[in-house]
Amino acid sequence: QHEGEVRGVDGDIDLNRYPPPDLIIEVAVAHDPKKALAICQGLGVPEVWVSWPKKGTLEFLGLDAQRGYVPLEASLAFPFLKPADVLPWLTSAGNEPDTRWRQRLREWVRVELAPRHEQRD
């Protein structure tokens, strides 16, 4: 939503001058994401995706009116996208070459996601 406001900014982004990111992705491997979520909350990040690779789960969380994170059925930044849509891509790479995985991902975006996005417009 605010990409245009920070495009071209080099180095650290001064959050007193620029808005926080619209979306942050936190990967919880060796720690609980509570500390990261508290930081995101303090910055006012409206949406956080939390990936739990060991559990094989993905949560979309949104900042509510009380400034706490609550589970979302669909992304705020990408309303046509649900956690169940993204999770297979996080767990499917395995031994597949990166180039093949990226090719499959691009095809999925073109065939599956682009039509969903266009239906919303």
Side-chain angles (χ1 to χ4, degrees), residues 53-72:
K54 291 180 181 177
K55 295 180 186 178
T57 61
L58 175 66
E59 297 174 284
F60 287 3
L61 303 173
L63 201 56
D64 68 8
Q66 290 74 37
R67 298 195 55 81
Y69 285 104
V70 296
L72 300 171

Side-chain angles (χ1 to χ4, degrees), residues 25-106:
I25 301 171
E26 174 69 16
V27 180
V29 176
H31 61 84
D32 189 287
K34 286 180 185 175
K35 194 178 274 187
L37 287 172
I39 292 168
C40 292
Q41 184 180 15
L43 294 173
V45 176
E47 181 174 4
V48 178
W49 296 1
V50 180
S51 171
W52 300 83
K54 291 180 181 177
K55 295 180 186 178
T57 61
L58 175 66
E59 297 174 284
F60 287 3
L61 303 173
L63 201 56
D64 68 8
Q66 290 74 37
R67 298 195 55 81
Y69 285 104
V70 296
L72 300 171
E73 289 186 27
S75 172
L76 299 172
F78 306 100
F80 52 88
L81 198 59
K82 297 179 181 184
D85 296 322
V86 178
L87 186 59
W89 293 100
L90 301 178
T91 59
S92 71
N95 294 326
E96 183 176 28
D98 287 348
T99 54
R100 175 67 185 125
W101 183 88
R102 283 193 302 266
Q103 182 182 25
R104 286 190 317 106
L105 178 62
R106 282 189 201 100

